Amino acid sequence: MKLFSCSCCGQLVYFENTHCTACGSLLGFVPDQLEMRAFHPVGEHLWQISGSDATAPLYHQCSNFALQGVCNWMLPATDTEDFCLACRLNHTIPDLTQPDNHGFWHRLEAQKRRLIYSLLQFGLPLAPRSRDPTGLEFDFLADVEPTFSETGRVLTGHSEGLITMNIAEADPVRREKMRHLMVEPYRTLLGHFRHESGHYYWDRLINNTPWLNLFRDAFGDERRDYEAALKFYYDAGPTPNWQQFYVSAYASMHPWEDWAETWAHYLHLLDTLETAWHFGLSSQPPLPGAQQLAFVQRVNPYLVVDFDLLIDAWLPLTAALNNLNRSMGHEDVYPFVLAPAAINKLRLVHQVIVA
């Protein structure tokens, strides 16, 4: 994720900010610029980028920004939509008559916008299903009391462009319990969004395309019975020695899940490298033969075509991050070891995206 500065006073600001803590300006993200800007009001609920001349374009706030406080994206004044690019992907929002749900929704939206930011960086197809039958939408749902005909449990998942998220994942206590129960060391809201988006983009970028045979060579045959594979995974556990072939235990369940886990991991990698690049981080351990992290000081990782450059930067960066966490008495921030087979799968994801 980029670092941003207030375009009014220059103060460092972050992707989730709505106001500058130094000058008090309203801050908003402008998707077509991929930038945070400071705005001043010009009347009739319209805003203009601070410091621009009187002829500069006008903007209005996303309705979920102005009325609900769960967004910070802006739209051109000429756009008659009430909702920004990210919010118009919502099909169902949480029931706001329930006292905790507004806070859960706020957390969901914050992580969803991080996903959308990466998708915009890649220039991937992104349209709501209400306008494009191959588009993308989100349902944010809560478990309900069971009836005679249904369990009432909401399962996070993807189906034909609709990503469903159980809003309980936005509750840190419940998510931590599930993290330990499911033995998923990197169970996060952002991880869920990235994983489920991987299923969506498999349909858009792999299925019925020339990439399908390369996918099967790397990940296996997706025509394998999914329900049988799911049952076997939960009955018998992950593939033995899964660490030699997959980015996670769950990836060993079925080629579709392997792709989604690898896709999510690739987005983790790119976004973290971009953050390191914007902070000017480097890793140059004074040890013989130690890998050095240098390119992130010079190149936006989202623009790198050579995947090997990304991996060469990623591995020493994760080693540094893990050791920094241990110095604070915490567990590793990156509890993964990437085997050559997993790296080759990440390489294929990269090739598909940059093609």
Side-chain angles (χ1 to χ4, degrees), residues 92 94 101 104-105 107-108 138-144 151-158 163-172 174-175 178 187-189 192-193 196:
T92 307
N101 282 2
F104 293 158
W105 185 30
R107 292 172 190 163
L108 287 162
F138 295 88
D139 273 351
F140 299 139
L141 304 174
D143 293 335
V144 297
T151 64
R153 184 185 175 198
V154 172
L155 297 179
T156 293
H158 166 266
I163 291 176
T164 300
M165 295 285 289
N166 189 325
I167 66 170
E169 293 289 345
D171 183 335
R174 294 177 67 179
R175 187 174 64 253
M178 288 299 295
R187 188 183 182 92
T188 65
L189 268 181
H192 281 310
F193 277 110
E196 300 305 337

Side-chain angles (χ1 to χ4, degrees), residues 41-90:
V42 294
E44 298 183 353
H45 306 293
L46 295 176
W47 301 80
Q48 195 170 46
I49 294 176
S50 297
S52 57
D53 61 48
T55 63
L58 302 179
Y59 292 83
H60 68 90
Q61 294 174 291
C62 172
S63 182
N64 285 337
F65 187 178
L67 303 179
Q68 297 292 349
V70 298
C71 181
N72 65 345
W73 286 25
M74 306 292 285
L75 297 86
T78 54
D79 192 331
T80 59
E81 291 277 354
D82 290 330
F83 298 104
C84 69
L85 173 64
C87 288
R88 70 185 65 161
L89 298 176
N90 291 345

Side-chain angles (χ1 to χ4, degrees), residues 136 156-164 196-197 199-201 203:
L136 178 65
T156 293
H158 166 266
S159 178
E160 298 181 351
L162 179 64
I163 291 176
T164 300
E196 300 305 337
S197 75
H199 287 300
Y200 170 70
Y201 282 104
D203 288 339

Side-chain angles (χ1 to χ4, degrees), residues 18-63:
T18 58
H19 289 83
C20 177
T21 57
C23 69
S25 294
L26 179 94
L27 298 174
F29 184 73
V30 183
D32 60 351
Q33 300 178 17
L34 291 177
E35 291 289 350
M36 294 286 288
R37 300 296 187 191
F39 290 86
H40 64 268
V42 294
E44 298 183 353
H45 306 293
L46 295 176
W47 301 80
Q48 195 170 46
I49 294 176
S50 297
S52 57
D53 61 48
T55 63
L58 302 179
Y59 292 83
H60 68 90
Q61 294 174 291
C62 172
S63 182

Side-chain angles (χ1 to χ4, degrees), residues 107-258:
R107 292 172 190 163
L108 287 162
E109 289 292 344
Q111 300 309 307
K112 186 190 77 178
R113 289 195 303 276
R114 281 187 170 260
L115 167 67
I116 302 305
Y117 169 86
S118 291
L119 301 180
L120 291 173
Q121 283 273 32
F122 290 131
L124 291 170
L126 189 62
R129 287 203 312 173
S130 58
R131 297 183 180 181
D132 181 348
T134 65
L136 178 65
E137 282 185 338
F138 295 88
D139 273 351
F140 299 139
L141 304 174
D143 293 335
V144 297
E145 290 297 323
T147 67
F148 291 110
S149 61
E150 59 183 4
T151 64
R153 184 185 175 198
V154 172
L155 297 179
T156 293
H158 166 266
S159 178
E160 298 181 351
L162 179 64
I163 291 176
T164 300
M165 295 285 289
N166 189 325
I167 66 170
E169 293 289 345
D171 183 335
V173 175
R174 294 177 67 179
R175 187 174 64 253
E176 184 66 13
K177 288 180 179 178
M178 288 299 295
R179 188 175 76 88
H180 285 283
L181 179 65
M182 304 297 289
V183 195
E184 294 177 352
Y186 200 79
R187 188 183 182 92
T188 65
L189 268 181
L190 184 53
H192 281 310
F193 277 110
R194 287 173 171 165
H195 174 98
E196 300 305 337
S197 75
H199 287 300
Y200 170 70
Y201 282 104
W202 188 89
D203 288 339
R204 294 296 305 270
L205 304 178
I206 301 295
N207 195 26
N208 298 319
T209 75
W211 291 107
L212 187 56
N213 287 332
L214 289 174
F215 165 84
R216 288 173 179 165
D217 289 343
F219 291 87
D221 193 337
E222 82 290 349
R223 292 168 294 188
R224 193 175 124 211
D225 189 302
Y226 182 86
E227 294 302 324
L230 183 66
K231 183 178 186 304
F232 183 84
Y233 176 82
Y234 283 112
D235 287 346
T239 300
N241 301 320
W242 63 263
Q243 297 93 337
Q244 297 179 22
F245 306 100
Y246 303 96
V247 296
S248 71
Y250 189 62
S252 70
M253 194 270 278
H254 187 276
W256 280 336
E257 298 303 341
D258 192 5

Side-chain angles (χ1 to χ4, degrees), residues 335-354:
F336 303 95
V337 176
L338 293 179
I343 290 175
N344 283 335
K345 293 173 185 178
L346 288 164
R347 178 178 285 106
L348 181 58
V349 171
H350 175 77
Q351 291 170 341
V352 170
I353 288 176
V354 303

